[in-house]
Amino acid sequence: MLALLQIVQLLLNLVWWVIMIQAVMSWLIAFNIINTQSNVVRSVWEALQRITEPLYRPIRRILPDFGTLDLSPLVVLLIMYILTNIVVPNIAQSLLAPGL
């Protein structure tokens, strides 16, 4: 069971990095530092969007529309922080010390 929690922790960390890379890349695209006309940039951008869109979609349905401001990555990161730093460690602790 602890191995499963470690895998979950690893996956959460991986998704965190994917969201961070996507955020930085979106800023670079917005300020025209990198151009989506490049095949490499466009491929990476589309891959990141395909990975993160299933995470953002349920959050976007709940959040009110803020126009061009998309807060769904922030909400997903907050949820991931809670899972990574509160939920998973508490589950691991309860597995290690079931009698306490």
Side-chain angles (χ1 to χ4, degrees), residues 15 18 20 25 30-31 38-39 45 60 79 91-94 98-99:
V15 172
V18 167
M20 285 297 146
M25 195 169 174
F31 291 116
S38 167
N39 287 336
W45 180 247
R60 287 182 181 142
I79 292 168
I91 293 171
Q93 186 178 18
S94 70

Side-chain angles (χ1 to χ4, degrees), residues 12-24 47-49 51-52 55-56:
L12 287 170
N13 287 332
L14 181 67
V15 172
W16 184 87
W17 278 107
V18 167
I19 292 172
M20 285 297 146
I21 291 168
Q22 184 185 29
V24 170
L48 290 172
Q49 285 187 318
I51 292 169
T52 58
L55 297 171
Y56 298 157

Side-chain angles (χ1 to χ4, degrees), residues 20-74:
M20 285 297 146
I21 291 168
Q22 184 185 29
V24 170
M25 195 169 174
S26 72
W27 297 332
L28 294 174
I29 291 170
F31 291 116
N32 208 17
I33 295 171
I34 59 175
N35 194 343
T36 55
Q37 297 300 320
S38 167
N39 287 336
V40 173
V41 171
R42 187 175 47 251
S43 296
V44 170
W45 180 247
E46 287 176 3
L48 290 172
Q49 285 187 318
R50 287 182 182 168
I51 292 169
T52 58
E53 186 59 31
L55 297 171
Y56 298 157
R57 194 177 308 121
I59 305 298
R60 287 182 181 142
R61 277 189 244 140
I62 297 170
L63 286 178
D65 187 18
F66 292 109
T68 58
L69 183 61
D70 186 13
L71 295 178
S72 57
L74 182 64

